[in-house]
Amino acid sequence: MKIVIDHVSGSRRGQRQELVAEGKVRFGRHPECEVSFDAHKDIDASSRHAELRPQGDDWILVDVGSSNGTYVDGRRVTEVKLVRGVPATLELGPGGPRMRIFLGDDDEVARLAAPEVERPAPRRGLLWAVVLVVAVAALAAVAALLR
């Protein structure tokens, strides 16, 4: 069985990780995590945020004391069973890195459609700079007309 992590937002947006389902999978900004995030860009994710753990034939996602919480399909969770063959959305903190997680065999993974990757948020600093330049130009034009 495989664990497929499709990063749909955050610094790893657009990347896919395929892991063999052999043991626990750690999520966080710490470089030792199997699913690691940028320590400077993905600040909503804790160093050690969550773990996906085998439990018999099941897989349990556990928040390991994160600062901002772990969300699965929009609900804050401390522990949740993931269903094989059913994609789930995992978010590390509200507005933090988001990914689709999928558990399945090679055939199920091959049939898995690509997720919709989120567009990065516009850089507000640049947006405000453009607004300011346009406003100054408009004021200059009005001042020239009043002379």
Side-chain angles (χ1 to χ4, degrees), residues 126-136:
L126 179 61
L127 176 63
W128 283 112
V130 170
V131 168
L132 183 59
V133 167
V134 169
V136 169

Side-chain angles (χ1 to χ4, degrees), residues 10 13 19 36 42 52 54 73 75 93 98 115 118 120 127 134 145:
R13 181 179 63 86
L19 308 167
S36 62
D42 296 312
L52 183 60
D73 295 332
R75 287 187 3 247
R98 189 179 354 252
E118 295 178 13
L127 176 63
V134 169
L145 289 173

Side-chain angles (χ1 to χ4, degrees), residues 13-147:
R13 181 179 63 86
Q15 296 179 19
R16 173 177 273 194
Q17 290 180 265
E18 290 188 18
L19 308 167
V20 177
E22 293 179 334
K24 75 179 172 181
V25 176
R26 300 167 295 179
F27 296 79
R29 289 184 291 131
H30 196 281
E32 290 180 2
C33 292
E34 287 76 20
V35 182
S36 62
F37 299 91
D38 188 287
H40 303 289
K41 294 179 183 174
D42 296 312
I43 58 174
D44 290 320
S46 295
S47 292
R48 291 180 171 85
H49 198 105
E51 291 180 356
L52 183 60
R53 301 173 180 165
Q55 193 172 70
D57 290 337
D58 296 326
W59 285 85
I60 309 297
L61 182 73
V62 179
D63 181 292
V64 291
S66 69
S67 299
N68 294 315
T70 300
Y71 295 79
V72 174
D73 295 332
R75 287 187 3 247
R76 187 168 183 163
V77 299
T78 53
E79 187 173 302
V80 65
K81 177 181 153 185
L82 297 182
V83 179
R84 179 186 171 143
V86 178
T89 301
L90 170 61
E91 186 175 8
L92 304 183
R98 189 179 354 252
M99 62 220 85
R100 179 180 70 178
I101 186 166
F102 182 81
L103 307 167
D105 61 27
D106 289 336
D107 290 335
E108 292 169 312
V109 170
R111 289 191 303 270
L112 184 63
E116 187 171 322
V117 176
E118 295 178 13
R119 293 178 56 155
R123 294 175 50 181
R124 288 191 172 90
L126 179 61
L127 176 63
W128 283 112
V130 170
V131 168
L132 183 59
V133 167
V134 169
V136 169
L139 286 173
V142 169
L145 289 173
L146 295 176
R147 288 190 192 142

